[in-house]
Amino acid sequence: MTNPIYIVGDIHGYMPKLQTALQRIHADGGPDAQIVFLGDYIDRGPDAPQILDFLIEAQTMARPWTMLKGNHDTFPRRFIETQSSYFLPSRDLSWLNPKAGGAEFLQSYGILTEGRPDADIALDAARLIPQAHLNFLDTLQLTFETEDLFCAHAGIKPGVPLDQQIEQDLIWIRHEFLDDTRDHGKLIVHGHTAVEHPDHAGNRINLDGGAGFGRPLYPAVFEGKEVCLLKETGREPLRALANA
């Protein structure tokens, strides 16, 4: 029998939601459950420092947890190095814009953002964000896979072998991947694109149910390709739309 793997989507700075997800995993799989986090630990919510401390401690304790890199997890280092918040793919959107959530991240470290030049904010960020937090975000791995599953924050570039995917696609891709219905060889498990509720598209599963936008964080348990969400009432099967 395949050992279950628990996968958690985008947390986006909400420690209570992470705690609830882990409580449900513990109740289902015990304290030593294998967990994969799909990235985007920060931005939008107020609890980034606590979340990063918690995950770093878990690494130190050698818990069987795998932390993947999300696109938001690359933003603090980029901001400090460039001293500019205008580095997102849409160049007219600042990381400090409410849509991106960078202001909430910086404010959680006591860094004032409103009405200040980016360069001044970046200097404060370099001084007040612990180096351990930046190092953790820098060194997150990009993928996790089993015989049946391939996990990445955003997804994959269709048509490219899984072992040849590049970071830009793994943490940023959207519609080219989301709109592709072909079999990718393994079931792709991702987050990144917030939806109203986690969904199963047959060839991929999106676990970003919008925790960064006020919705719950639903952990999932996989046994092979079979998947259930862990909700307050227990396991709830997540089936492909065509079979719903």
Side-chain angles (χ1 to χ4, degrees):
M1 181 177 176
T2 304
N3 291 328
I5 295 176
Y6 297 84
I7 304 182
V8 178
D10 306 39
I11 299 163
H12 276 304
Y14 287 97
M15 188 67 181
K17 296 181 183 185
L18 173 58
Q19 291 171 327
T20 297
L22 292 175
Q23 288 166 2
R24 292 179 183 176
I25 291 172
H26 186 283
D28 189 88
D32 298 320
Q34 183 178 5
I35 305 175
V36 178
F37 297 89
L38 293 176
D40 277 6
Y41 309 99
I42 67 169
D43 289 348
R44 302 196 174 107
D47 306 317
Q50 297 95 308
I51 289 169
L52 297 180
D53 280 340
F54 177 76
L55 295 176
I56 290 168
E57 182 181 9
Q59 280 187 335
T60 302
M61 297 172 63
R63 288 188 178 275
W65 296 1
T66 300
M67 290 85 157
L68 301 186
K69 180 185 290 187
N71 59 315
H72 281 261
D73 304 319
T74 68
F75 295 170
R77 179 71 74 183
R78 185 86 175 265
F79 179 61
I80 289 171
E81 290 182 349
T82 65
Q83 296 193 346
S84 171
S85 61
Y86 287 91
F87 53 74
L88 304 186
S90 176
R91 296 293 181 179
D92 59 346
L93 178 65
S94 164
W95 180 44
L96 304 183
N97 185 291
K99 292 181 179 179
E104 289 81 2
F105 170 79
L106 293 166
Q107 289 163 12
S108 70
Y109 290 90
I111 299 167
L112 300 178
T113 60
E114 189 170 355
R116 301 180 65 206
D118 282 0
D120 291 349
I121 301 170
L123 290 174
D124 281 350
R127 181 170 57 88
L128 294 174
I129 298 173
Q131 193 63 42
H133 290 187
L134 295 172
N135 290 343
F136 171 81
L137 295 171
D138 288 343
T139 56
L140 295 165
Q141 68 186 68
L142 292 170
T143 66
F144 172 87
E145 59 185 306
T146 68
E147 183 178 345
D148 299 301
L149 309 176
F150 185 91
C151 304
H153 173 67
I156 64 164
K157 189 174 183 65
V160 176
L162 296 179
D163 63 355
Q164 295 178 29
Q165 298 288 325
I166 63 172
E167 178 170 332
Q168 177 70 16
D169 292 322
L170 292 168
I171 69 173
W172 276 106
I173 201 165
R174 288 197 197 274
H175 295 291
E176 183 181 354
F177 164 64
L178 299 175
D179 297 339
D180 194 291
T181 59
R182 78 187 85 174
D183 187 324
H184 300 302
K186 295 185 179 185
L187 180 62
I188 310 300
V189 185
H190 67 97
H192 183 55
T193 300
V195 288
E196 291 295 322
H197 185 273
D199 61 37
H200 194 324
N203 62 347
R204 62 175 182 82
I205 291 176
N206 183 358
L207 291 180
D208 184 359
F213 298 101
R215 297 189 288 276
L217 177 66
Y218 294 117
V221 54
F222 287 79
E223 293 177 307
K225 291 186 178 181
E226 298 298 314
V227 56
C228 292
L229 299 180
L230 299 181
K231 296 192 172 182
E232 187 175 4
T233 53
R235 292 192 180 198
E236 178 181 291
L238 183 64
R239 297 187 175 92
L241 298 178
N243 300 323

